[in-house]
Amino acid sequence: MTNSLKAHELDELNDVDLEAKLREAKEELFNLRFQAATGQLESHGRLRTVKKDIARIYTVVRERELGIRTAPGASNEEA
């Protein structure tokens, strides 16, 4: 993951891919925090970007649960 994720990019991912992105982002955040704690972090802005990416992913997941957004391939009709 090199750049910030956009909400419309996340809309194109299915739930499994979204979970994978979330896992990657959390792993990267862990590594960045570890680097920060040991004084090896060069890009402090990346920490902020990854946190925002995680929040964006959680927002898309929650909006899908509430029916505000739909996952790709899901029908738009309510039963």
Side-chain angles (χ1 to χ4, degrees):
M1 220 184 304
T2 56
N3 56 359
S4 178
L5 297 170
K6 303 287 184 232
H8 67 85
E9 294 170 355
L10 296 174
D11 280 342
E12 297 168 7
L13 300 175
N14 63 29
D15 292 341
V16 174
D17 292 339
L18 209 53
E19 285 292 325
K21 280 277 189 209
L22 180 60
R23 199 169 19 258
E24 285 175 22
K26 283 184 168 186
E27 189 174 319
E28 184 176 0
L29 181 61
F30 174 82
N31 291 331
L32 289 170
R33 283 182 171 157
F34 191 81
Q35 288 174 7
T38 58
Q40 299 172 351
L41 186 63
E42 295 177 10
S43 173
H44 290 279
R46 187 69 189 136
L47 256 173
R48 185 176 184 198
T49 304
V50 173
K51 285 182 185 179
K52 287 187 174 193
D53 286 348
I54 291 171
R56 215 172 266 122
I57 293 169
Y58 276 132
T59 299
V60 170
V61 168
R62 184 64 179 140
E63 287 178 349
R64 285 183 184 178
E65 288 174 4
L66 296 174
I68 298 170
R69 292 180 191 259
T70 56
S75 72
N76 293 339
E77 297 176 15
E78 293 292 319

